[in-house]
Amino acid sequence: MSNRAFITGVSGLELTGAERDFIRAVRPWGFILFKRNVDTPAQVARLVGELRATVGEADAPVLIDQEGGRVQRLGPPLWPAYPPGAVFGSLYDRDPALGLKAARLSNRLIAADLAELGITVDCLPLADVPVAGADNVIGNRAYGTEPAKVADIARAVTEGLQQGGVLPVLKHIPGHGRATADSHFRLPTVDTPRAELERTDFAAFIPLNDLPMAMTAHVVFSALDPAQPATTSATIIEQVIRGRIGFQGLLMSDDVSMNALAGSIAERTRAIVAAGCDMVLHCNGKLDEMREVASQTPELSGKALQRAVKALASRKPPVPFDRKAARVELDALVEQAGVA
């Protein structure tokens, strides 16, 4: 039996009976965890195991947003705090090798935390290039404001995750850095000319187009498609994400339940699939919405299935490292950066 082309959240620290029945019946491709799903390491590991056992897939991908800074689903006191992306950028400005080293170390350590819990996918790196006046939803999560620097640090972030046996998800393609609104709450529109988008926003993603997975931006680019955000725009997905940027991996939507998207959950899901996303992401754990998403997503097949299989196959066993020494080295580098 095939999996359906969606990734789902769940409501709490363990599965409800209704969630188990739903997962067994519709077989989502993967799962994503949030703070509402996190209590202790033992509890998270149990939940991850329960998700995989219920769907009947020992290697079903389990995702999380564990960036560092203000986006950490696993945090103190049971998990370490990690620096935001801006710290790597600050170090890079002083010495590129230091910035890249810190990015690699931080994410190798994050990968070790995740691997202990059975979490196999982290929604990183960001290749968003912020501009003055943009909404702070990206803010200090970004690695910098120069595309080449952003791509360089994003590659080091990716290497750290992959060395720890965790798959990366490139986000938010083709760029969220110019958005003047938080797409969790309303739809941002970017009116920048295409030539400037290509020079800046898209340029940060092009060197990363070999990554196994990417997540779309709920952002309208009026120069490309004045009617639809990238997530539901066949024009942007075909011409920019697959075309100009050249990304050929598994393409997932950002969260279908975010307020940037219009219409019912079912209508949004149909639009995401029709536009060319391989996978629909639904995060809030509301079972009625999960059922709507499942009802409108196809079984994985064709190119989407090939990309999904290839993405999972790209995960390698962790490379041994000295965890304690890596943390000491990272802390010393962060102190040098002098960025909160």
Side-chain angles (χ1 to χ4, degrees):
M1 182 193 255
S2 299
N3 297 93
R4 290 205 173 275
F6 76 105
I7 296 163
T8 189
V10 293
S11 62
L13 301 178
E14 59 184 26
L15 293 181
T16 66
E19 286 172 339
R20 284 192 200 92
D21 292 343
F22 169 78
I23 290 167
R24 288 191 187 107
V26 303
R27 294 177 53 79
W29 182 71
F31 306 92
I32 187 165
L33 302 184
F34 287 84
K35 284 188 177 181
R36 66 177 183 271
N37 308 120
V38 172
D39 183 17
T40 66
Q43 169 270 321
V44 176
R46 277 196 307 272
L47 176 58
V48 168
E50 189 179 14
L51 290 167
R52 291 194 172 115
T54 303
V55 80
E57 299 278 352
D59 64 347
V62 177
L63 292 70
I64 199 166
D65 292 286
Q66 188 75 351
E67 298 178 11
R70 58 193 158 95
V71 181
Q72 277 197 221
R73 312 308 184 200
L74 309 170
L78 296 178
W79 290 274
Y82 290 97
V87 167
F88 311 139
S90 178
L91 279 166
Y92 187 99
D93 290 342
R94 185 179 307 172
D95 180 340
L98 288 181
L100 299 179
K101 187 173 192 177
R104 203 174 289 112
L105 278 171
S106 186
N107 286 278
R108 177 64 185 89
L109 286 160
I110 286 173
D113 295 343
L114 301 186
E116 286 181 344
L117 305 171
I119 299 170
T120 50
V121 183
D122 195 358
C123 297
L124 271 181
L126 274 76
D128 302 309
V129 182
V131 298
D135 186 271
N136 196 45
V137 64
I138 300 300
N140 72 353
R141 299 163 66 193
Y143 309 135
T145 57
E146 296 296 324
K149 170 185 169 182
V150 168
D152 212 11
I153 295 172
R155 177 64 68 180
V157 168
T158 297
E159 290 168 354
L161 292 174
Q162 291 175 322
Q163 287 167 10
V166 171
L167 290 173
V169 177
L170 177 64
K171 61 188 189 187
H172 304 83
I173 198 167
H176 206 300
R178 293 180 183 274
T180 54
D182 182 342
S183 55
H184 289 86
F185 305 112
R186 63 187 180 91
L187 178 63
T189 296
V190 170
D191 293 322
T192 305
R194 178 168 183 152
E196 179 65 8
L197 291 171
E198 291 192 353
R199 189 187 71 80
T200 55
D201 303 61
F202 305 165
F205 286 91
I206 290 171
L208 305 163
N209 64 13
D210 61 319
L211 267 59
M213 293 182 275
M215 180 186 294
T216 60
H218 293 338
V219 177
V220 168
F221 296 92
S222 60
L224 306 170
D225 184 340
Q228 296 293 329
T231 300
T232 56
S233 171
T235 298
I236 292 176
I237 290 175
E238 292 170 13
Q239 296 183 10
V240 177
I241 295 175
R242 298 297 192 194
R244 181 71 182 90
I245 291 172
F247 177 74
Q248 297 305 314
L250 183 77
L251 185 65
M252 68 179 71
S253 72
D254 203 344
D255 182 9
V256 65
S257 66
M258 287 161 63
N259 288 335
L261 300 184
S264 68
I265 295 295
E267 289 167 339
R268 298 175 190 187
T269 301
R270 285 196 298 272
I272 288 168
V273 173
C277 284
D278 299 314
M279 195 73 57
V280 179
L281 177 65
H282 182 265
C283 295
N284 66 23
K286 295 179 180 178
L287 189 55
D288 56 340
E289 292 188 9
M290 291 154 63
R291 289 188 172 117
E292 282 193 73
V293 172
S295 73
Q296 301 302 318
T297 48
E299 290 190 353
L300 265 176
S301 62
K303 288 185 178 180
L305 176 59
Q306 292 171 15
R307 291 171 182 141
V309 169
K310 185 177 180 181
L312 293 188
S314 71
R315 190 168 72 88
K316 306 299 182 192
V319 176
F321 84 128
D322 186 329
R323 193 168 183 172
K324 185 175 180 180
R327 185 72 219 199
V328 169
E329 190 170 12
L330 174 63
D331 288 345
L333 288 169
V334 171
E335 189 173 350
Q336 286 185 51
V339 176

